[in-house]
Amino acid sequence: MRSSSGTPHVLLHTERPAERVDSTGTITHQIDSPVETFIPMLTSFLQRTSGFSTGILGSDLCSLILLGRHLSEKMPDIIHESSQIVATQTKRVWESHGESFNYNLTEPQIILAMSEILSDLKGNPSSLFFSNSMPVRDAEFFLYPRHVQLAKMGPNLSTVAVNRGASGIDGIISSAIGFCEASSMPTTLLIGDLACIHDLNSFHNLAKQSTRYHSSPKKPLSLSTIIVNNDGGAIFSFLPIAKHGNDVNFEEFFGTPTKSFSFGKGAEAFGLAYSTASDYRIFKEMYKELIGSDDPSVLEAKVVSRDQNVQVHTEITRATNSFLDNLGLFEELNDLVLYHEVNLPAKIYKRGFCHGTMKRTKSLVLLHGWMGDKTEWDESAQILIQSLSDEWNVISIDLPGHGESPHLFSENDLMRGLFSSESERNPSLEDIAMAVLRSVQEDITEIETIDAIAGYSLGGRVAMAMMKTDSSTESKLLSNDTKIILLGSDPGSLDSVSALKNKSDDVKLCGDKKLSNKLASMYLRQFLQDPTSVRSKLAWSEFLFYWYGKPLWANLSERNPSVFSKMVQRRAASLSRRALDICHMLHVCSTGRNIYPYSNILNPKETVFIAGELDVKYSTLGKEWKKKSGIAYHEIKGAGHALLTEEPVVVANIISQVLTQHEKEQVMPPVSPVSTELKEAVTKASYEVSPSIPSATHVTPSTLDFEEFQIELIDNRTGSGVKGIGWGNQRNLDNVLNVRKGLIISLSSNDGFFVGLGEVSPLSGVHSESLDEAKVQIKEIQRAFASPNFISRDIQCERVLSIDGSMSRYIEDMISDMKKQNLLSFSVLVESVSAGLEMAILSLASHKLRSPLPQSLFLSSKTRSNVTPFLPLNGLITPKDSNFYPVITESKPDPSDISYSSIKVKVGHVSIHDDVITLIHAKSNSNEVVRIRADANRAWRETDAINFAQLVKKKDSSTVERLEFIEEPLQKICDSGGRWSFQDQVGALERWHHSTGIKYALDESLADVIRLADESSFSIKETMRQAKGCAAFVLKPSLLGFDRSMELARLAHDDLRIGAVFTSTFDSGVGLAFTAFVASLSDSLCRQGGPKFPHGLSTFSMMGGDTLTPPFASFVNNDGLLNVASLGRSMNGLGLDEIRDYTYTKSDIQTNIREAAVTYDRDDQFQSTSSTSDTGREINIQVSLPLPFSDEVACARFTDLPQQPRWSPWLKSVAYLEKGLTEWTLNVRGVEFRWKAISKLLDSPKGIMWESTSGLKNQGRVEFLKVSDDSCLMTVKMSIVAPRIISLVFKTTGEFVKDFVESKLLKWSLESFRDVVKADLALERGDAELGDALFGAVEGRSNAIEATLSYQHFDQRT
């Protein structure tokens, strides 16, 4: 830090105010006050004068904390390296043994080891007691070497104590014993060998007390003593007198060697456990064991000599200074990054991958506002790329100091405090414009010219500066015809004369400086605590509430709370990372500083100004500018200044219409009357959403949950697992798939009211990843969603439901956001996870629209078609073994079998002859006239495939007539170098078709071409245009993804006029349902007369269970038709709470309940233990409460289940059903949760056990353990999966669900049960006064629970 002669020096003098205390004359302020009075008053004053109430206080020295954190991360390495350098120089000789030992443990390493062990300590907190002399000094320097551990050490290390310095080294052990006994905590004493000898007899008292304590109920004193044996008084070796050595008899009078004393013998004499260590690793292990013991013990640390100890400390000091020098803290500050030749990050928006390759010749550049970033334009840009012609590039850029642009201030600058916005090196608005132009020209090769710039607020002013700057450079990216679209931007003076700085400009500049300094101060103060903490975020939020409360924003917080909340979250996250850069840019771009009249250099015909109707400042400015210069002015009704957040769709429509009209004016002569009418039409249309673009509905995902499932696979023909499933080697008959495992994921909205499901179940041999690998990604994404640093983007429901590529881009952006915040270890999703997230997003969006997913998909599609509620499915015959054919021919059809209109036969596993017989048999075995298809999974060489076709024709020509196609009949075609290409594969298939006349379908080849980085769907389209033999694309959304599958389906239907068959990868009911929904959409989009084929979703028949209730199979009729409409309605809003779990059986759960045992202390207090799952939603709780009445009375009252709401107000009702079932209703925030349960009464001990059979997952056991004839102990053991809405309640209030359920719901419910029964018994014996008092206590608890679980604004939000 740079020193200043004017720095205040304040002395708080608590006693003897007349005493002279300023001998050097440096004190500027002296305050006479007790500390306990002064500090609260100072804190209150600072909070009032700061303008905020969050209590984040600091000083100009706050940036030193960042320096401390950097140093703390390096200190362990410095300590170890310095110790190694010194310890290897000499060997230590212990004369008492006459042997030489290589002791390489140093005193700083002892403190370091203690710090690391205490950081990882679990369980009860402990305390430290440091001896005077070296231990307390080393602890001051090295006890907290890492700030990461410091946060962890907080709850583990309760107290650090030391004797006052004047006491010297006498009585240290006695003080530590007294401290340990008074604190009742495990305590570690760090003491030197000399100090230990001075108070050695205190070990006798410790051992004596411990022996006495062992014979009593109390525990012995847990005092662990570490003796630092450096052979004397090491501290004196640091004094100048040590240099004189024997001349002053240093060893005798100062060093005072202790080599003749054996601490091991001493510990043995006192009966204390003893161990010794002379190596860091061994010491750390021994200390870890020692601190975990309840008995007092001694650990002797034999360290390097006293002279070497001085060298170690000297080396540490040298290495620390070297580290600080390397940080460059004392070098001259370089120019700001903005002056350097750096380029700004850009985002190029593109359409779905199946569109053409027209060269884009026009460019639209989008610039965000102050505190924003390039993603501010995402929603508008996605609409623009769809509504503008294909020749337009759409690019959004991060301005300097924002988003992902290079930091203007390095961490070294922050540590030095060099961040003043008053620097003479400040850039100008033109410098920022030049940085944008340079980035566009050098980094974005697609751009040759900029045809339009749209800038919001600050971005608009940069756009105008770009027009001024470009005219004076050689780049010439802009021209007089470049469209400048300004959204609420200040163009400077509208007068045609040169602007001169006036008083109002000085006022603006002063206000911006003040605001900039306030933000900088807040940013530095956050170093006093965790920047991600709630308090730190509250500070930014409180400022943003103040900022967005200004008239400019037109009361946004009340007009549109969701938009306001979104803005505050995004801005708070940005400020917590880049506040210094942002406040510096405020100073640089202040309108009081940049007074150039940019309006004078713009072409009015090419200038468009947009403002919100409620934004009085800029709507007035826009109207005035239009009146003076004739620019086009658009006013968005009902909007304030936050146009990109409030009305992104309307903004996009205005820009699209402006640019489209601009193109028309360039290709046809303008006619005045028409132009006027068009201009008015455009202005009017800007107030409304274009009818071609659905109105925008948004939902914000905030929580990801998942559950595992495991379903047995059974081939009904064989009674065992399914053989030959998969691609490549997995298609072999020796590969048997017995069990299908996977994950059901749930994506919940930030308000907890909407949920979307998806399935992640990679199939070996088809997907490239394993389930474990997919699970790793899901868990990381789950943790990222839970991170307080991550702010999820909104999902535009109608757009993702159109399945046009928007969903894939959303997921890519989401993963990119998480990766940038170091929340993920990967940047690319595996195929099954990507598909699962797409499912979850689709169903979340449809739930938000409050319509079933099939209906939402049809309404959001751009092509309106007649929708059929039924989807035809094809049957499946899987391979068995070499005896496949004889078994098949002897089998008879089951009367319950479904009569599919098409049957698919797996071939290529046995001989060609047997494959042909199987195919013919499949056709002949049905009573109906069915179509057949074969799936070879690339089993044959070209000659074998031809032989197969010829043999089919020879055996039964009618089979060929019914043959729809053969999927992938040919092996993978590779060139001599082993390289595969889509063109070569299709070429070989075309030759086969030409030779046999049989159609083929593409399956594996589509997956291969998409997986190749150098291929695209354009190559699919161009290759397939020439193909004559392809009948269909076989599409697996769980592999390819839903966006890609629908793009390929559209390509098949619209351009190639072939079929699109959707098929599964042996998914559970959830995955099958989503595939069915998009298959139904695909069929409806197929042109009239285009080929349609039944879809491959009949794998449900091989599932021994399902994740859906009712199962997927129940929606398929005997004709092989799937009722898509009914399936969609049954899944609408379905969450994990309702998904069946096949991982555990009912008997397993009941056994767990029976065998779970907990020991309860039978006192008068409520006792509890609990645990939660990784997701935090599955809670396991065990509680107990003594009851002052018999077990028979307690059991009889408790098991009268309809009475439960009397003592459990969170239950709305309990009703008896037939066959021992009960129905329970829970009410949370106006939302009802129902479940059915089966229960069983217990006799010994008395009680009841239950398990839910549907709905909310829970299970448990209540027992009443007899204590006496008139008392018992009530124990409750239960497991519950908390509903999402309950999790949301406690996430927003800062409490954990587990703690609330354990410490409030159950505690209050048990206590209320006790008091209700006591009250009933009192009334039964005529004691009305006691009964009324007890019911009053019950009512108080009930009101507290109901208040927590109520939500007064629920009706408004829904």
Side-chain angles (χ1 to χ4, degrees):
M1 297 293 291
R2 292 173 291 185
S3 61
S4 172
S5 59
T7 301
H9 180 183
V10 180
L11 172 67
L12 179 62
H13 203 210
T14 59
E15 297 179 358
R16 299 186 294 278
E19 179 181 344
R20 183 170 180 264
V21 293
D22 187 17
S23 58
T24 60
T26 60
I27 295 176
T28 58
H29 300 78
Q30 180 172 326
I31 300 173
D32 300 319
S33 170
V35 174
E36 61 271 17
T37 303
F38 174 73
I39 295 300
M41 293 182 65
L42 175 64
T43 302
S44 176
F45 172 77
L46 291 175
Q47 288 178 343
R48 289 198 312 272
T49 56
S50 69
F52 302 104
S53 60
T54 51
I56 297 183
L57 305 173
S59 72
D60 290 338
L61 299 178
C62 288
S63 56
L64 285 179
I65 295 177
L66 182 61
L67 174 60
R69 289 175 181 170
H70 273 267
L71 183 59
S72 67
E73 292 174 354
K74 185 66 176 176
M75 280 308 297
D77 293 335
I78 291 178
I79 291 174
H80 287 310
E81 291 170 4
S82 300
S83 299
Q84 184 66 22
I85 291 172
V86 174
T88 55
Q89 293 176 353
T90 59
K91 291 185 178 181
R92 175 106 175 262
V93 177
W94 292 79
E95 294 182 1
S96 59
H97 302 288
E99 298 178 359
S100 176
F101 297 93
N102 186 12
Y103 296 117
N104 53 21
L105 180 64
T106 65
E107 296 180 39
Q109 284 182 317
I110 292 175
I111 302 294
L112 175 62
M114 294 174 65
S115 171
E116 292 175 345
I117 292 297
L118 290 171
S119 299
D120 297 329
L121 185 65
K122 303 197 184 300
N124 297 326
S126 62
S127 298
L128 292 178
F129 196 100
F130 291 110
S131 171
N132 289 350
S133 193
M134 283 303 296
V136 69
R137 286 170 171 80
D138 279 341
E140 183 178 9
F141 286 109
F142 309 123
L143 180 60
Y144 310 114
R146 289 183 287 184
H147 74 276
V148 174
Q149 288 188 348
L150 179 59
K152 294 164 56 181
M153 194 181 296
N156 297 335
L157 185 57
S158 174
T159 310
V160 176
V162 65
N163 273 357
R164 66 173 186 163
S167 298
I169 60 173
D170 291 321
I172 299 294
I173 300 176
S174 297
S175 297
I177 293 172
F179 172 75
C180 179
E181 185 172 4
S183 67
S184 300
M185 291 182 183
T187 302
T188 299
L189 165 63
L190 184 66
I191 188 171
D193 51 347
L194 191 60
C196 182
I197 292 176
H198 275 240
D199 196 22
L200 194 65
N201 61 329
S202 294
F203 278 143
H204 174 68
N205 296 329
L206 176 62
K208 183 178 179 181
Q209 289 183 17
S210 298
T211 302
R212 177 168 56 84
Y213 283 1
H214 272 299
S215 61
S216 70
K218 293 185 178 181
K219 294 182 178 180
L221 289 180
S222 180
L223 178 65
S224 304
T225 303
I226 300 175
I227 303 173
V228 182
N229 191 341
N230 50 30
D231 193 25
I235 193 170
F236 299 107
S237 297
F238 287 86
L239 299 178
I241 197 171
K243 298 178 181 179
H244 300 283
N246 293 333
D247 294 340
V248 294
N249 291 328
F250 179 81
E251 281 296 293
E252 181 180 356
F253 296 113
F254 294 95
T256 56
T258 61
K259 57 189 177 184
S260 60
F261 186 81
S262 171
F263 290 101
K265 298 283 188 183
E268 182 182 354
F270 293 120
L272 298 174
Y274 169 82
S275 55
T276 182
S278 59
D279 173 80
Y280 175 79
R281 181 184 59 80
I282 296 175
F283 173 81
K284 190 174 178 180
E285 292 175 356
M286 289 187 171
Y287 178 58
K288 188 174 183 179
E289 294 178 4
L290 179 141
I291 201 172
S293 172
D294 292 333
D295 295 318
S297 55
V298 174
L299 171 58
E300 181 183 2
K302 296 181 178 180
V303 298
V304 298
S305 68
R306 285 177 271 122
D307 291 340
Q308 287 177 298
N309 185 45
V310 174
Q311 295 177 42
V312 169
H313 284 76
T314 302
E315 181 61 26
I316 290 175
T317 302
R318 185 205 62 76
T320 302
N321 290 336
S322 176
F323 173 74
L324 296 176
D325 290 341
N326 291 334
L327 290 177
L329 299 181
F330 309 105
E331 298 175 358
E332 290 293 326
L333 184 65
N334 295 326
D335 290 341
L336 286 173
V337 173
L338 189 61
Y339 275 151
H340 294 170
E341 294 295 321
V342 296
N343 295 326
L344 303 174
K347 182 173 185 178
I348 302 176
Y349 298 89
K350 296 181 179 180
R351 298 193 188 187
F353 78 105
C354 271
H355 290 278
T357 58
M358 176 184 290
K359 181 175 176 60
R360 301 176 188 272
T361 58
K362 295 185 177 181
S363 299
L364 166 63
V365 173
L366 307 174
L367 303 177
H368 60 80
W370 184 60
M371 290 197 291
D373 58 56
K374 60 181 180 293
T375 63
E376 303 272 310
W377 280 96
D378 278 358
E379 291 186 56
S380 297
Q382 295 295 348
I383 297 173
L384 285 169
I385 61 174
Q386 299 295 331
S387 57
L388 292 175
S389 62
D390 286 346
E391 59 183 336
W392 278 94
N393 288 296
V394 180
I395 304 102
S396 180
I397 295 178
D398 277 333
L399 294 177
H402 294 77
E404 298 174 320
S405 64
H407 283 263
L408 304 181
F409 298 99
S410 68
E411 288 192 342
N412 287 359
D413 297 335
L414 301 185
M415 289 185 286
R416 287 182 287 181
L418 301 176
F419 38 77
S420 172
S421 61
E422 302 295 328
S423 171
E424 296 179 357
R425 301 167 300 105
N426 280 331
S428 65
L429 197 59
E430 280 75 18
D431 290 319
I432 297 172
M434 182 60 73
V436 175
L437 288 169
R438 183 175 58 245
S439 298
V440 170
Q441 188 172 37
E442 296 181 3
D443 283 359
I444 308 176
T445 58
E446 294 93 337
I447 293 185
E448 297 177 358
T449 61
I450 298 177
D451 298 273
I453 309 175
Y456 166 67
S457 193
L458 169 62
R461 298 177 58 235
V462 173
M464 291 183 281
M466 288 169 65
M467 290 293 291
K468 178 176 182 290
T469 303
D470 186 72
S471 62
S472 60
T473 64
E474 298 179 357
S475 66
K476 301 303 180 186
L477 290 172
L478 309 176
S479 70
N480 195 45
D481 294 328
T482 300
K483 275 286 184 184
I484 301 298
I485 304 170
L486 307 174
L487 287 71
S489 298
D490 191 339
S493 174
L494 297 179
D495 296 332
S496 57
V497 298
S498 299
L500 299 175
K501 197 168 185 178
N502 54 42
K503 186 175 182 180
S504 64
D505 295 323
D506 290 334
V507 172
K508 292 178 184 177
L509 182 59
C510 182
D512 288 341
K513 284 183 179 179
K514 185 176 180 180
L515 179 60
S516 176
N517 291 336
K518 174 175 281 190
L519 288 176
S521 178
M522 290 176 62
Y523 179 76
L524 294 177
R525 288 172 184 172
Q526 77 177 3
F527 289 132
L528 294 175
Q529 57 190 349
D530 182 0
T532 63
S533 67
V534 173
R535 174 170 286 193
S536 180
K537 289 190 172 183
L538 282 177
W540 294 120
S541 298
E542 192 167 357
F543 161 73
L544 291 167
F545 271 75
Y546 150 78
W547 176 252
Y548 289 123
K550 290 179 173 291
L552 184 71
W553 309 97
N555 205 18
L556 179 61
S557 61
E558 295 184 8
R559 285 192 299 108
N560 198 330
S562 62
V563 168
F564 177 77
S565 175
K566 176 182 175 181
M567 288 182 62
V568 169
Q569 289 183 60
R570 289 177 65 94
R571 298 296 188 263
S574 180
L575 286 168
S576 66
R577 294 184 297 108
R578 305 206 60 170
L580 291 185
D581 290 343
I582 289 173
C583 67
H584 177 76
M585 292 304 296
L586 172 64
H587 176 73
V588 169
C589 303
S590 170
T591 54
R593 233 177 131 246
N594 299 273
I595 60 173
Y596 185 84
Y598 290 106
S599 60
N600 294 339
I601 66 170
L602 300 180
N603 181 355
K605 294 182 179 180
E606 307 298 339
T607 303
V608 179
F609 194 88
I610 306 172
E613 177 190 25
L614 305 180
D615 182 357
V616 177
K617 175 181 176 180
Y618 285 103
S619 62
T620 303
L621 175 62
K623 294 171 184 176
E624 182 183 354
W625 195 0
K626 177 183 179 181
K627 184 177 180 181
K628 283 191 174 184
S629 305
I631 66 163
Y633 171 63
H634 302 272
E635 188 171 284
I636 300 178
K637 292 184 178 180
H641 188 65
L643 297 177
L644 291 180
T645 311
E646 291 186 64
E647 297 291 349
V649 176
V650 179
V651 168
N653 276 318
I654 295 175
I655 296 174
S656 176
Q657 291 161 346
V658 166
L659 297 182
T660 302
Q661 176 63 22
H662 183 58
E663 291 175 338
K664 293 178 180 179
E665 291 173 351
Q666 289 180 330
V667 299
M668 63 177 61
V671 182
S672 298
V674 177
S675 298
T676 303
E677 293 174 5
L678 282 173
K679 183 178 290 188
E680 292 176 356
V682 169
T683 304
K684 292 177 181 178
S686 67
Y687 304 143
E688 301 176 357
V689 178
S690 169
S692 64
I693 301 173
S695 58
T697 305
H698 297 86
V699 64
T700 306
S702 68
T703 305
L704 180 72
D705 290 334
F706 70 90
E707 286 192 10
E708 298 184 44
F709 69 83
Q710 177 174 307
I711 301 175
E712 185 180 7
L713 282 182
I714 303 173
D715 190 326
N716 294 325
R717 297 175 299 104
T718 64
S720 59
V722 183
K723 295 184 177 183
I725 298 303
W727 295 345
N729 293 331
Q730 293 297 117
R731 57 176 298 278
N732 295 332
L733 286 179
D734 56 359
N735 173 46
V736 181
L737 189 62
N738 294 306
V739 175
R740 196 72 176 94
K741 298 180 180 180
L743 310 174
I744 301 298
I745 64 173
S746 169
L747 196 59
S748 305
S749 63
N750 59 350
D751 55 14
F753 299 136
F754 305 102
V755 63
L757 283 183
E759 178 175 334
V760 177
S761 53
L763 179 63
S764 178
V766 175
H767 293 85
S768 56
E769 71 277 4
S770 66
L771 177 59
D772 288 339
E773 290 169 334
K775 193 188 303 183
V776 168
Q777 289 199 347
I778 287 294
K779 286 184 176 180
E780 288 195 32
I781 296 172
Q782 181 187 49
R783 288 192 292 268
F785 268 115
S787 170
N789 294 331
F790 178 67
I791 300 175
S792 183
R793 298 168 182 249
D794 282 358
I795 295 172
Q796 187 174 326
C797 299
E798 295 84 358
R799 185 152 295 280
V800 299
L801 287 166
S802 66
I803 319 187
D804 62 352
S806 302
M807 183 165 51
S808 298
R809 290 190 293 270
Y810 176 86
I811 293 175
E812 289 173 3
D813 290 341
M814 178 186 75
I815 297 301
S816 176
D817 292 344
M818 292 176 175
K819 179 66 174 177
K820 289 170 186 173
Q821 297 187 35
N822 295 321
L823 299 175
L824 300 179
S825 63
F826 57 88
S827 56
V828 178
L829 291 175
V830 296
E831 294 158 334
S832 60
V833 172
S834 180
L837 288 173
E838 286 185 315
M839 296 183 213
I841 289 173
L842 286 174
S843 56
L844 176 62
S846 69
H847 194 200
K848 174 67 175 181
L849 294 178
R850 302 179 187 277
S851 66
L853 181 55
Q855 180 181 350
S856 298
L857 291 173
F858 286 113
L859 292 177
S860 300
S861 63
K862 295 180 180 179
T863 303
R864 298 290 186 260
S865 306
N866 294 327
V867 180
T868 174
F870 293 99
L871 184 73
L873 309 183
N874 66 260
L876 175 65
I877 297 179
T878 57
K880 183 183 176 185
D881 51 32
S882 59
N883 297 321
F884 183 51
Y885 165 64
V887 173
I888 289 293
T889 55
E890 293 171 7
S891 66
K892 296 182 179 180
D894 189 330
S896 64
D897 283 351
I898 298 172
S899 299
Y900 293 104
S901 61
S902 177
I903 302 291
K904 180 165 84 170
V905 180
K906 288 282 188 177
V907 295
H909 301 80
V910 290
S911 69
I912 290 177
H913 178 271
D914 287 348
D915 280 336
V916 170
I917 298 301
T918 303
L919 195 65
I920 295 173
H921 173 79
K923 184 261 300 182
S924 305
N925 201 37
S926 173
N927 295 327
E928 303 292 334
V929 178
V930 300
R931 306 292 294 176
I932 57 174
R933 65 184 68 158
D935 185 4
N937 289 124
R938 290 180 170 175
W940 297 318
R941 294 172 297 177
E942 192 167 346
T943 54
D944 294 332
I946 293 174
N947 291 337
F948 174 84
Q950 292 173 345
L951 190 56
V952 172
K953 294 177 182 179
K954 181 178 179 181
K955 291 282 186 181
D956 186 357
S957 59
S958 64
T959 300
V960 178
E961 295 173 0
R962 295 192 191 183
L963 187 60
E964 295 173 321
F965 51 76
I966 300 179
E967 296 180 28
E968 298 283 359
L970 300 184
Q971 291 179 348
K972 199 169 186 178
I973 307 298
C974 299
D975 61 17
S976 58
R979 293 180 295 271
W980 176 88
S981 74
F982 183 69
Q983 291 85 348
D984 291 345
Q985 190 75 32
V986 172
L989 289 167
E990 283 294 305
R991 290 193 301 271
W992 175 82
H993 164 68
H994 180 74
S995 175
T996 64
I998 296 176
K999 294 278 190 176
Y1000 63 87
L1002 296 179
D1003 185 1
E1004 289 97 324
S1005 296
L1006 295 176
D1008 286 343
V1009 73
I1010 288 173
R1011 285 169 172 169
L1012 286 178
D1014 59 344
E1015 298 277 5
S1016 68
S1017 70
F1018 178 72
S1019 66
I1020 298 177
K1021 182 176 181 179
E1022 292 305 308
T1023 301
M1024 297 307 297
R1025 279 188 187 278
Q1026 310 302 321
K1028 304 298 182 183
C1030 185
F1033 286 171
V1034 178
L1035 306 172
K1036 292 179 170 61
S1038 60
L1039 174 70
L1040 305 176
F1042 287 80
D1043 266 346
R1044 280 198 176 98
S1045 294
M1046 278 305 301
E1047 291 284 358
L1048 290 170
R1050 291 187 180 101
L1051 174 63
H1053 291 316
D1054 299 342
D1055 294 331
L1056 305 178
R1057 302 303 300 272
I1058 62 176
V1061 178
F1062 284 79
T1063 184
S1064 77
T1065 53
F1066 280 78
D1067 314 313
S1068 77
V1070 172
L1072 288 173
F1074 282 95
T1075 303
F1077 297 153
V1078 293
S1080 179
L1081 175 64
S1082 171
D1083 282 359
S1084 72
L1085 299 179
C1086 182
R1087 294 180 180 178
Q1088 188 68 29
K1092 294 183 183 179
F1093 298 102
H1095 299 275
L1097 305 178
S1098 61
T1099 51
F1100 68 85
S1101 62
M1102 301 179 187
M1103 297 285 181
D1106 202 351
T1107 51
L1108 291 181
T1109 304
F1112 183 89
S1114 64
F1115 297 96
V1116 181
N1117 64 20
N1118 290 335
D1119 295 325
L1121 298 177
L1122 173 70
N1123 192 328
V1124 176
S1126 295
L1127 177 61
R1129 286 192 295 270
S1130 72
M1131 287 191 64
N1132 189 33
L1134 197 63
L1136 281 183
D1137 303 329
E1138 299 82 25
I1139 289 292
R1140 297 186 60 182
D1141 189 345
Y1142 281 86
T1143 304
Y1144 304 104
T1145 65
K1146 183 184 298 184
S1147 60
D1148 293 332
I1149 297 172
Q1150 291 176 340
T1151 300
N1152 290 339
I1153 296 175
R1154 284 196 304 271
E1155 295 179 353
V1158 178
T1159 301
Y1160 295 93
D1161 295 331
R1162 302 191 178 188
D1163 56 18
D1164 295 330
Q1165 301 299 319
F1166 173 87
Q1167 296 188 17
S1168 64
T1169 60
S1170 59
S1171 63
T1172 59
S1173 64
D1174 292 340
T1175 65
R1177 289 181 56 211
E1178 184 176 345
I1179 309 165
N1180 299 289
I1181 298 177
Q1182 301 175 355
V1183 299
S1184 70
L1185 182 73
L1187 301 177
F1189 37 83
S1190 69
D1191 57 331
E1192 293 184 354
V1193 170
C1195 185
R1197 305 281 176 145
F1198 189 85
T1199 55
D1200 186 2
L1201 298 180
Q1203 298 293 316
Q1204 289 279 335
R1206 293 182 65 196
W1207 49 80
S1208 299
W1210 46 283
L1211 286 173
K1212 183 177 180 180
S1213 64
V1214 182
Y1216 285 117
L1217 303 176
E1218 72 282 354
K1219 298 180 180 179
L1221 284 176
T1222 50
E1223 184 176 58
W1224 300 63
T1225 304
L1226 166 68
N1227 191 300
V1228 180
R1229 290 191 168 182
V1231 179
E1232 286 190 355
F1233 295 90
R1234 296 178 182 271
W1235 69 93
K1236 293 179 181 179
I1238 186 170
S1239 56
K1240 177 183 178 182
L1241 293 178
L1242 307 175
D1243 185 54
S1244 182
K1246 295 186 179 299
I1248 187 172
M1249 62 183 293
W1250 76 92
E1251 179 190 357
S1252 63
T1253 59
S1254 66
L1256 183 67
K1257 292 184 179 179
N1258 67 99
Q1259 57 188 341
R1261 183 185 188 96
V1262 177
E1263 294 178 345
F1264 301 96
L1265 308 177
K1266 183 175 181 178
V1267 176
S1268 65
D1269 290 340
D1270 56 0
S1271 65
C1272 65
L1273 180 69
M1274 179 181 187
T1275 67
V1276 180
K1277 310 167 191 176
M1278 67 178 297
S1279 173
I1280 182 173
V1281 177
R1284 298 178 306 278
I1285 186 69
I1286 292 184
S1287 300
L1288 178 74
V1289 173
F1290 298 97
K1291 177 186 282 189
T1292 54
T1293 58
E1295 249 186 305
F1296 293 104
V1297 181
K1298 173 181 72 65
D1299 295 336
F1300 183 81
V1301 174
E1302 175 185 351
S1303 303
K1304 291 185 174 62
L1305 281 187
L1306 285 182
K1307 182 176 186 294
W1308 290 349
S1309 293
L1310 264 64
E1311 291 175 345
S1312 294
F1313 170 71
R1314 177 195 62 195
D1315 293 344
V1316 164
V1317 176
K1318 287 172 62 178
D1320 286 345
L1321 295 175
L1323 292 176
E1324 289 171 7
R1325 64 174 180 264
D1327 192 345
E1329 182 177 354
L1330 175 60
D1332 290 341
L1334 290 169
F1335 279 130
V1338 173
E1339 183 178 3
R1341 294 191 195 97
S1342 299
N1343 291 338
I1345 295 177
E1346 289 174 347
T1348 304
L1349 296 181
S1350 65
Y1351 187 43
Q1352 58 183 350
H1353 301 301
F1354 178 80
D1355 293 335
Q1356 299 176 12
R1357 297 189 65 166
T1358 58

